[in-house]
């Protein structure tokens, strides 16, 4: 791919500083960009960008003076994303059903699907239009997958689960394994049948090695537009709202209900059977152990308001010094008491 | 499936409050249950059950008065589990060996096995009666799998490992990957061969994405009836006793020995080479760093008695206030000291 | 395999205490070793070894007197590793391309490769000499895998990633899934294309269920000789130096740069966009939230010097007692103040 800077300015609806005749062949980050690449910069990286080797830089509209060829746009990051798409067309994916795939009985396949070698679509499954199933995906009995969804290699969707439209699921993720439910009697654990399913709504993206367990009865739900990072665990009967961001290695125990636009920082651990309100942010490694209201920023374990956590961190650092002070106060007080006698 | 309440009362050995003529077609939780469903309730959910839409409710024997059709039983949860099984017969699984599976040389297969498409049973493996291998399972050389065991898609059992009877292993779990063992010399790490295996005893259930590493020499052991949740790591040469519950995202480092009936809360992290006694409970996120006795409830990192952890949490919350008090005491003491002069 | 102790002494370049005529048939740990096994011992396990059932023990050179047949060597652990290799030859692996594997168009295969049933090598991939691909591996388009590398079952290498020589990757690991990158506008998250790749250098070993995400642009890099344990997450655009040890369940967020010979203890969680210096050790469960210098030992969350963390732990344990002391001081001070009046 090759475009002039003028052509690029047109694509991102931006204003050029310098010459529009430069030829651009790649889109990459500041550190790697060479004379035929375009990159982007916002504060505090503007100076770095001014000194980098890129042919051109996408900048915020607010910049008027820059010691390098640039394109000023309303949102440099969004413009950069657009150019990544333009300069990196998606892989060529063969359409059709591989002769080495397995398709069971009473399966409904949409138009233009790609079912790659060694993918398995089990009996009674329904696969929407333009769905792509990479090698070694397993689609269980009675599963439904919506149009345009993309499942990478080794993904498992267990029986009766439902996947929405435009869902992306990365390799080795497991949707609908049995929830962790037992009845214990005399020290022995008997399995509670997990007869519910998982329902993934439209436009969800799920990373690699994520486990979302099927409900005991009813459905475990992942709301529309929610994005889940790698190695996340979501227990049975959780209901996760729309447009959440769930960062890597987070665990959410069973039956927890989460609102819309909630962010879970990495390695968060959340107990079961609680509610978390809309728009709340949980810092990395936080550990909610009871209901969390909407619109708050919580941190720590047990999770508490971030400001409170910060004050505690500051105080905690001074603990050894406090111990010394207390011992000193004791001595001085004892002396005063003795002097009085 | 359709049964009268009288038939259901007979199945769960219970006593009906109200009419036994109601027709029941489903078994589900309080929130989802409609007029032809049965649900269950124990304290503190009795009132909620009285107001729900279920056709009937399973209740504890101790209840005599209830504003809704009900069946009183000794253990409502166990009765509910039984009905889940009755109303949700297992999936129909084709028996036999798929023509698209791969079975190596010198393999012994039991009766009535199900080896699905693209499953691999490598040379010299022994597969018991009624074993089910989902697509994309890999059973390594010389592996032995006991009767009635069920392995979901993408499970790996590496060479020489032994799986007991009635074991359930969920998708993408890996049994017998090499332990993390190296000798470091001049900053370079050389691999220590991991020539032992893993032995999973009868009636164990293992979640999705669990890694149980093979022993350097000898066996890593998972004791009979132990249940393991998703994304758990168990290091080489660990010996886990019978009937443990190991909740999601827990990690147990190598060579740790665990007694019977131990519970690991979610995200617990346990160092290697320690002993944990029988019947002990480790709270979620706890971190044992030395031996833990039997019959205790520990929490925190480093793990300590739960009561001690609680006292510390309470004190820790007051830290900023303590700092203020100390500063105040210092001032007042200084004043007294000066006054004395 | 059967060797005399004299033959073994020759192999490990050691000096025999006792008779060299003993026959050795196995190499195992102290607890399991019987009369025809050899084991090893260093302090503080020497006494245990003197009383064990092993036929012979590998000991440090410094020992001259031992109540058991032994071989003294410079490094007992290294000698033990060598004997593990001698007594446990690797599995027999069929060479060649299985008729049940899938090899795409324009693929270059080296000599003596083993491509097992249901492995997929997608278009334009380059596979080096002696590479072993277990069943259900997926090698994406344009991937390059160096000589002698070994990929276990269910491993995924996504398009354009590069794997060095002698790399070992354990089951279900995913190299090159999309990084977790979105632009959020009006509460909706739009995917940033992840068009970079992952580059794994020579002699790296990666455990089971590891996720190493592809870079947004450029490469996520794992340096030569680095060893990664199970269930580790490495975010997009990280650059991990040579000879690191990254213990199980550690997460490293995107764009973090790590030096050489760094150790991450188990369950470490590291924020993105920081630098960690050479030779640094991060204790288990530590949580770096800003740059960490070279050559230090850090612990805790947020991570701080280990000594400081220890002092804090000690003080923290005394918190409830400190609270009492402060209350007592307050009372006594009040009394002094009143007495003065």
């Amino acid at each position: 791919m090759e475009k002039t800077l003028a052509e690029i300015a047109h694509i991102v609806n931006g204003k050029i500083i310098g010459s529009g005749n430069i030829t651009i062949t790649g889109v990459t980050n500041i550190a790697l960009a060479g004379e035929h690449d375009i990159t982007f910069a916002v504060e505090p990286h503007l100076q770095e960008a001014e000194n980098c080797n890129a042919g051109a830089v996408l900048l915020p509209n607010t910049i008027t003076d820059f010691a390098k060829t640039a394109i000023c746009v309303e949102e440099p990051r969004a413009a950069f994303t657009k150019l990544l798409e333009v300069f990196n067309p998606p892989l060529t994916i063969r359409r059709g059903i591989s002769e080495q795939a397995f398709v069971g009985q009473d399966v409904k396949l949409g138009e233009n699907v790609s079912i790659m070698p060694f993918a398995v679509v089990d009996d009674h499954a329904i696969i929407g239009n333009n769905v792509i199933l990479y090698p070694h995906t397993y689609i269980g009995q009675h599963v439904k997958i919506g149009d345009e969804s993309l499942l990478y290699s080794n993904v498992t969707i267990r029986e009766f689960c439902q996947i929405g439209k435009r869902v992306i699921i990365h390799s080795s993720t497991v949707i609908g394994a049995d929830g962790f439910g037992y009845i214990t009697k005399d020290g022995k654990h008997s399995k509670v049948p997990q007869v519910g399913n998982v329902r993934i709504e439209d436009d969800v993206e799920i990373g690699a090695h994520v486990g979302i367990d099927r409900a005991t009865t009813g459905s475990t739900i992942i709301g529309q537009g929610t994005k889940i990072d790698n190695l996340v665990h979501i227990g049975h009967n959780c209901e996760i709202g729309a447009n959440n961001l769930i960062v890597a290695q987070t665990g959410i125990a069973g039956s927890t209900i989460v609102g819309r636009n909630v962010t879970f920082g990495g390695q968060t651990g959340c107990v079961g059977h609680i509610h978390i309100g809309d728009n709340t942010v949980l810092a990395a490694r936080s550990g909610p152990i009871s209901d969390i209201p909407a619109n708050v920023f919580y941190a720590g374990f047990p999770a508490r308001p971030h400001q409170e956590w910060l004050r505690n961190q500051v105080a905690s650092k001074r603990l050894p010094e406090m111990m010394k002070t207390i011992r000193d106060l004791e001595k001085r007080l004892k002396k005063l008491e003795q002097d009085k006698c």
Side-chain angles (χ1 to χ4, degrees), chain A residues 168-173 205-210 228-231:
Chain A
I168 301 173
I169 306 183
H170 290 280
S171 291
S172 288
T173 274
E205 181 166 1
I206 303 176
H209 306 112
V210 172
I228 302 178
D229 201 353
N230 296 341
L231 290 159

Side-chain angles (χ1 to χ4, degrees), chain A residues 4-27:
Chain A
T4 65
L5 201 65
E7 289 171 316
I8 290 174
H10 185 74
I11 290 168
V12 298
N13 192 22
K15 205 178 137 190
I16 296 175
I17 298 181
S19 157
N21 293 330
I22 298 173
T23 301
I24 295 295
T25 59
V27 183

Side-chain angles (χ1 to χ4, degrees), chain A residues 295-311:
Chain A
N295 306 307
V296 297
F297 179 19
Y298 267 45
F301 174 64
R304 71 206 76 168
H306 184 252
Q307 279 303 322
E308 192 183 319
W309 179 80
L310 270 185
R311 271 196 302 271

Side-chain angles (χ1 to χ4, degrees), chain A residues 7 11 74 96 119 133 159 162 168 175 188 197 232 245 319:
Chain A
E7 289 171 316
I11 290 168
E74 209 179 312
L133 302 179
E159 64 272 15
Q162 299 190 8
I168 301 173
I175 307 294
K188 285 196 178 178
N197 71 351
V232 166
L245 290 176
L319 257 177

